[in-house]
Amino acid sequence: MPKWLNDAVFYQIYPQSFYDSNGDGIGDINGIIEKLDYVKELGCNAIWLNPIYDSPFMDAGYDVRNYKLVAPRYGTNDDLVRLFDKAHEKGMKILLDLVPGHTSDTHEWFQKAKKAEKSEVSNRYIFTDSVWEAPPQYRLMCGICERDGNYLVNYFSSQPALNYGFDKVTHPDWQLPCDHPDCLATAEALKDIMRFWLSKGADGFRVDMADSLVKNDDEKYATAKIWRGVREMLDKEFPDAALVAEWCHPQRAINDAGFHMDFYLDHHGNGYSKLFRYDKWGDKAVFNPNGKGDLKSFADEYLPQYKLTKNNGYISFMTNNHDMPRISAYHDKQTIKLINAFIFTMPGVPFLYYGDEIGMRYQKGLVSKEGGFSRTGSRTPMQWTSSKNLGFSTNDETYLPVDASADAPTVENQKNDPDSIYRVVTDLIALRHKYDDLKGNGELEFLYDENKIPFAYKRGNLVMYFNPLGTQYEMNTQYSGETVYKIGDAEFADGKIKMQPQSFVMIKI
Ligand code: GLC
Ligand code: CA
C-alpha cells in the first residue's frame, strides 16, 4: 500500500478545460504545469488527469487511439514527463486515466482485428463468428467490417470491447474463456501500457470502468483476478504507484480486486446519491434543508463496506466528476459548504473536481461536445479571473463556452471573499493535513441518534456535528471541547448542542 495515500487529497483535472497555455482555445499540459502551484495552494497534493492520450474524441478521450502517445492538442509525451517531474519537485503526485475495457475503433489493434485476414490481434476484441450471429443480449456492431463477424462494444458505438474472455461461455464458437492465451495477452498488453507511463514518472492510474473487463462475469471474480495480477506487478515493480477504481463497489474493488481505492459514486445503488444528489433520490438527499433525507439508507450501505475494506484500502468520496451534474445544480451555497465539510472529514481519500472549489455552476442546455451529452455542462472551462474567457484562454473560441453569467465565480473573486466556498474548501483540506485523526485511515464512529438528521461522527479526538436542516436544532451530546472549525454557528450547553440552520461544527475533545 503506497504510504502517501493516507494523507492524499486529489484534484481532478479535465485537461481540455483547465488552462490553455498556447491560446488555441483548448486546455493543455503546459497549462497544467503553470497551475500546479494553484493546486498545491488548495492543499491538494495529488492530481487525477482525465485521458490525455491520442484519440478521435468521440468520448472526450475515453476512446483511446494510442495509449502511448499524448494527444497533440494537449502537448507531447515530453510535456507530460515534464509535468510528472515538476509535480514531484513540489511533492505532488499525478495519476493518469487508464481505459482498460475498450479502445477507439481507430486504434491500430482494432484496424487490424476488423480485417478479414487473421493476425496476432484477431482475438484482441470480441467478434462473433459470422455476421448472422447476433445474440440480442450483447451490444454488437453488425455488418460493418470486412471480417465476417459482429463485434461487441463496451460503451459508445466507437468503443469496441477489449477481449479478456468470458467467465461463463455461452457461445463457445466465438467466446473465449479467460485463460485463453489471447485473453491473457490482452491483460499483458494492459500491463505494458502501465509500465510505459509508470517508468516515465506517472504515480498510478484512475481506472475507467474497472469492473467491465471479463464478460458474463456476474460476481466479477474473473475480472477481479485480472486486477490482482496487475496489483502483483505493481507491488513488485512500482510499489509506490496507486490505483483507484471506477468500480463503485468497495468490497469488490478493494478486497477482491486489490485496488488501493474505490470511488464512492452512485452506481450499484450505493449511498452517494442518498447523501448529495436530488436527481435520483428526490428530496431525500441527506444534505437537504427540508429534512426529508434518509441518513439510515446511506449508513446501512456505507458503514458495512467501510468496515470490510478499511484495512485494505480507501473509499473515495468526491465533490463531483466529469460524468455528473455539478452539485451546484442542486444545492444552495450553504449546503455546498456542508457537503465539502463532510467529504473532507470522512475517512478514505477525497477527490475535488476542478472548479468545485469555487462553486462553478453546471451549465444547462449546452450542445453535446465530444460525447458529453448531459455531462457537457460539468466540463466547461475553469474560471480563473475576470479577464477574457475568465482567464482560461486568449483565443476567441474555447473548447466549451465559459460561464457567461455576470456573477460567475472565479478563483480571483472567491479568494478575496471570506464567505466563499473556496475558503471553506481550503480551510478543511488544511485541517485534514494537520490532524492525523482526519486522515485516510483515521477511525470513524457515527454518533447519529437513530439515523436522524442532524447527525454527528467522531474521528479519534475530533467530533463533527452537521445540521443540514433549514431550521435550528438541538441535539444531545456527551462531548464538549475546543471548537476547531465551524460553518454557521452552534452553542454547547448542559450536554446539548444547539445548532443554527445549515451549520457544521468540528470540536476537539
Ligand atoms: C467512465 C468515464 C466516462 C466514459 C466512460 C466510457 O464512466 O468516467 O467519462 O465516458 O467510462 O469510457
Ligand atoms: Ca492549448
Side-chain angles (χ1 to χ4, degrees):
M1 173 66 61
K3 282 208 188 70
W4 58 272
L5 287 178
N6 195 35
D7 190 32
V9 177
F10 274 86
Y11 191 71
Q12 180 192 344
I13 292 180
Y14 198 66
Q16 50 272 62
S17 294
F18 196 55
Y19 186 60
D20 173 22
S21 72
N22 62 353
D24 65 356
I26 301 182
D28 45 59
I29 291 171
N30 285 330
I32 297 169
I33 294 176
E34 282 186 46
K35 297 294 186 185
L36 277 177
D37 284 332
Y38 167 76
V39 177
K40 194 171 176 181
E41 240 178 74
L42 288 171
C44 294
N45 49 15
I47 289 171
W48 153 32
L49 286 184
N50 284 100
I52 38 70
Y53 315 107
D54 180 46
S55 164
F57 296 106
M58 296 295 288
D59 184 17
Y62 284 95
D63 48 328
V64 180
R65 180 161 48 205
N66 183 345
Y67 289 98
K68 296 184 178 175
L69 183 68
V70 165
R73 74 185 200 185
Y74 298 138
T76 63
N77 284 18
D78 288 343
D79 292 335
L80 185 56
V81 171
R82 227 159 40 81
L83 171 61
F84 298 149
D85 293 344
K86 293 275 172 207
H88 296 161
E89 278 170 27
K90 296 175 194 295
M92 301 165 80
K93 308 277 186 181
I94 307 275
L95 298 200
L96 300 180
D97 210 315
L98 184 69
V99 189
H102 46 270
T103 66
S104 159
D105 56 6
T106 60
H107 192 290
E108 66 172 12
W109 293 337
F110 190 75
Q111 290 298 312
K112 222 168 168 189
K114 74 177 192 184
K115 294 231 162 79
E117 193 192 333
K118 278 223 176 280
S119 72
E120 75 288 356
V121 287
S122 292
N123 285 330
R124 180 65 33 107
Y125 300 87
I126 304 167
F127 279 85
T128 63
D129 56 343
S130 125
V131 291
W132 314 119
E133 164 75 1
Q137 66 269 39
Y138 301 104
R139 282 177 59 209
L140 295 165
M141 296 294 286
C142 298
I144 58 172
C145 303
E146 181 185 278
R147 175 173 174 170
D148 184 8
N150 304 315
Y151 63 90
L152 210 133
V153 298
N154 218 30
Y155 200 71
F156 288 150
S157 294
S158 65
Q159 291 160 308
L162 283 163
N163 193 2
Y164 296 88
F166 285 72
D167 185 44
K168 274 199 258 26
V169 174
T170 52
H171 297 72
D173 291 340
W174 54 272
Q175 298 178 347
L176 302 179
C178 297
D179 58 1
H180 186 283
D182 291 344
C183 300
L184 298 176
T186 306
E188 285 312 309
L190 181 68
K191 286 184 204 156
D192 172 61
I193 295 161
M194 297 176 79
R195 286 190 181 100
F196 179 82
W197 289 114
L198 291 170
S199 58
K200 289 190 185 311
D203 298 292
F205 298 91
R206 172 268 187 184
V207 179
D208 184 67
M209 290 175 66
D211 65 340
S212 74
L213 306 193
V214 175
K215 306 306 176 195
N216 291 352
D217 182 21
D218 299 341
E219 292 304 315
K220 303 283 178 192
Y221 291 134
T223 298
K225 191 175 165 198
I226 294 173
W227 291 118
R228 279 261 157 227
V230 169
R231 172 70 185 266
E232 253 169 56
M233 181 273 277
L234 290 185
D235 286 351
K236 224 185 280 161
E237 300 171 35
F238 303 95
D240 245 4
L243 276 189
V244 53
E246 184 201 29
W247 195 310
C248 315
H249 194 316
Q251 215 181 318
R252 281 184 176 149
I254 296 170
N255 291 359
D256 298 342
F259 279 86
H260 303 107
M261 306 172 262
D262 187 27
F263 285 143
Y264 198 59
L265 281 168
D266 58 351
H267 308 289
H268 307 293
N270 78 18
Y272 181 88
S273 283
K274 295 165 191 175
L275 286 169
F276 310 131
R277 297 270 162 187
Y278 279 22
D279 51 349
K280 295 212 173 116
W281 299 92
D283 54 7
K284 284 179 79 181
V286 169
F287 284 87
N288 175 346
N290 74 12
K292 292 190 210 152
D294 180 5
L295 185 68
K296 185 168 163 29
S297 69
F298 159 72
D300 284 354
E301 200 281 334
Y302 168 78
L303 286 175
Q305 299 253 1
Y306 165 69
K307 284 177 189 144
L308 280 165
T309 57
K310 69 183 183 137
N311 295 326
N312 302 325
Y314 301 100
I315 295 178
S316 284
F317 283 94
M318 52 218 311
T319 58
N320 187 54
N321 73 11
H322 61 290
D323 291 332
M324 304 177 289
R326 290 185 185 269
I327 44 177
S328 56
Y330 308 92
H331 299 291
D332 61 33
K333 181 174 163 190
Q334 195 68 5
T335 299
I336 292 173
K337 289 181 177 178
L338 300 181
I339 288 174
N340 278 294
F342 183 88
I343 288 173
F344 293 111
T345 59
M346 283 289 280
V349 177
F351 280 69
L352 172 63
Y353 185 52
Y354 85 96
D356 279 351
E357 71 276 25
I358 55 170
M360 254 174 78
R361 300 182 188 127
Y362 176 68
Q363 302 295 313
K364 290 202 186 87
L366 289 182
V367 175
S368 177
K369 175 92 174 183
E370 299 183 346
F373 300 96
S374 62
R375 308 175 292 185
T376 306
S378 294
R379 300 175 171 186
T380 57
M382 178 65 179
Q383 299 160 196
W384 298 99
T385 62
S386 54
S387 55
K388 181 175 177 176
N389 295 322
L390 302 184
F392 164 69
S393 169
T394 53
N395 204 37
D396 288 338
E397 275 191 27
T398 53
Y399 175 75
L400 276 169
V402 258
D403 185 346
S405 42
D407 62 345
T410 64
V411 170
E412 194 176 58
N413 65 32
Q414 290 273 300
K415 262 190 179 176
N416 295 327
D417 173 2
D419 189 39
S420 64
I421 292 171
Y422 178 90
R423 282 290 170 90
V424 167
V425 169
T426 47
D427 286 350
L428 286 159
I429 295 176
L431 289 170
R432 192 175 177 98
H433 292 307
K434 179 172 170 191
Y435 290 103
D436 280 347
D437 285 338
L438 288 181
K439 293 197 202 311
N441 67 8
E443 290 301 313
L444 169 75
E445 188 192 337
F446 259 79
L447 307 172
Y448 55 92
D449 165 26
E450 285 304 306
N451 307 306
K452 275 201 231 113
I453 302 169
F455 63 96
Y457 51 85
K458 183 170 170 289
R459 302 205 53 206
N461 286 320
L462 299 171
V463 185
M464 267 63 63
Y465 298 89
F466 286 87
N467 179 15
L469 305 180
T471 48
Q472 181 180 297
Y473 200 93
E474 214 173 65
M475 60 176 155
N476 295 327
T477 180
Q478 64 183 109
Y479 301 105
S480 61
E482 165 206 346
T483 298
V484 176
Y485 196 70
K486 62 184 178 181
I487 299 168
D489 210 2
E491 275 164 45
F492 286 84
D494 312 324
K496 288 190 193 306
I497 172 171
K498 195 205 276 173
M499 298 194 75
Q500 293 308 315
Q502 297 187 288
S503 59
F504 163 74
V505 190
M506 183 193 309
I507 62 164
K508 189 168 172 220
I509 52 177

